[in-house]
Amino acid sequence: MKVLITGAGGQLGFELQRTAPAGVSVCALKSGDCDIGDANAVAAVVRREAPDVIINAAAYTAVDKAESDPAAAERVNAQGPLNLAGSGARLLHVSTDFVFDGLRGTPWKPADPTQPLSVYGRSKLAGEQPVLALGARGLVLRTSWVYSTHGNNFVKTMLKLMGTRPELRVVADQIGAPTWARGLAGALWRCVDRPALSGVHHWRDAGAASWYDFAVAIGEEGAQLGLLPAAVPVHPIGTLDYPTPARRPAFSLLDCTSTWQALELTPPHWRIQLRGMLKEMKEGNG
């Protein structure tokens, strides 16, 4: 089987390459190798590589910047999947919890109504449509709060700030779940191995957290592993205390029950996953 991975330079693309199963031929393309927003570029790559499966890990993820540059977000997040959908290959597309408005306090199921609050969320939702229009050849996997040793993410930002500041203030009224890109990559490879699987699915690590909870755990685990001299104080604040250009959903915890059953795969608790990622960072394997 030949699998083409877009967004290979990102944190998920990095983990997908590291965890590719034996017997799979991988063609990994960074954004510089193929601009998925360019239909001609995509068509040329597809003709050259003739993949059986495409995993679209490419995304415009600058949530706040998208508010002032919607065209850039839409080019990658909406036009990109549309271009890839014309390849003739099975298409696995990674989406986001930001397609929901977060206005209720129960986990979001794959079939629940979507109502994104931001340009980023709307562009990601638009990108789901051409994938789902493929029917049996299209699969959307929504996830949340992704991090890895590779690339830029909340965990690495917190470690950097905790190494230079005496204390931090972090939003405590936005609830979701962190997801280690390593586990997400494993879930996607399991999806590849199940060709009959299609439609919308959800994946995240087990448990739930606020950004404040996540930051506290990063400090504690980082200090225990020697990545920080000590855990610095983290103070909870409200969303209104930290205004951003893009609105975030207050409760975007994804209900993954059906996906975990379909894949016969249940992730560990997010704190265990965080510890694994930080251990890898300490060992210098990131």
Side-chain angles (χ1 to χ4, degrees), residues 63-64 98 100-101 117-118 174 211 239 244-250:
V63 176
D64 289 320
F98 276 40
F100 298 110
D101 59 19
L117 303 175
S118 63
Q174 293 174 20
W211 290 108
T239 297
T244 57
R247 289 179 62 195
R248 268 80 168 167

Side-chain angles (χ1 to χ4, degrees), residues 84-154:
L84 293 168
S87 67
R90 184 178 179 219
L91 178 57
L92 277 57
H93 173 68
V94 180
S95 192
T96 174
D97 58 328
F98 276 40
V99 299
F100 298 110
D101 59 19
L103 296 181
R104 73 178 198 205
T106 55
W108 298 88
K109 297 179 183 295
D112 283 340
T114 52
Q115 187 65 44
L117 303 175
S118 63
V119 168
Y120 166 73
R122 289 192 290 273
S123 70
K124 290 295 290 182
L125 180 60
E128 293 183 3
Q129 306 313 310
V131 181
L132 296 176
L134 294 174
R137 288 193 294 112
L139 184 147
V140 170
L141 189 65
R142 295 178 183 142
T143 190
S144 62
W145 303 15
V146 179
Y147 65 92
S148 170
T149 57
H150 181 79
N152 299 316
N153 53 66
F154 184 78

Side-chain angles (χ1 to χ4, degrees), residues 3-6 16 53-57 91-92 94 188-189 192:
V3 177
L4 188 151
I5 299 171
T6 61
L16 282 166
V53 178
I54 296 175
I55 301 178
N56 182 31
L91 178 57
L92 277 57
V94 180
L188 283 162
W189 285 121
V192 169

Side-chain angles (χ1 to χ4, degrees), residues 95 97 106-109 141-147 175-181 183-185 187 201-209 251-260 263 265-270 273:
S95 192
D97 58 328
T106 55
W108 298 88
K109 297 179 183 295
L141 189 65
R142 295 178 183 142
T143 190
S144 62
W145 303 15
V146 179
Y147 65 92
I175 308 299
T179 305
W180 188 13
L184 176 59
H201 298 269
H202 288 171
W203 181 272
R204 59 169 172 80
D205 289 338
F251 191 94
S252 63
L253 188 67
L254 298 174
D255 186 326
C256 302
T257 307
S258 60
T259 306
W260 292 345
L263 297 181
L265 196 64
T266 304
H269 189 272
W270 66 263
Q273 297 285 69

Side-chain angles (χ1 to χ4, degrees), residues 158-183:
M158 289 295 105
L159 287 173
K160 182 177 180 180
L161 293 176
M162 289 172 177
T164 58
R165 297 186 183 181
E167 60 182 16
L168 295 178
R169 302 171 62 198
V170 179
V171 170
D173 57 358
Q174 293 174 20
I175 308 299
T179 305
W180 188 13
R182 176 76 53 77

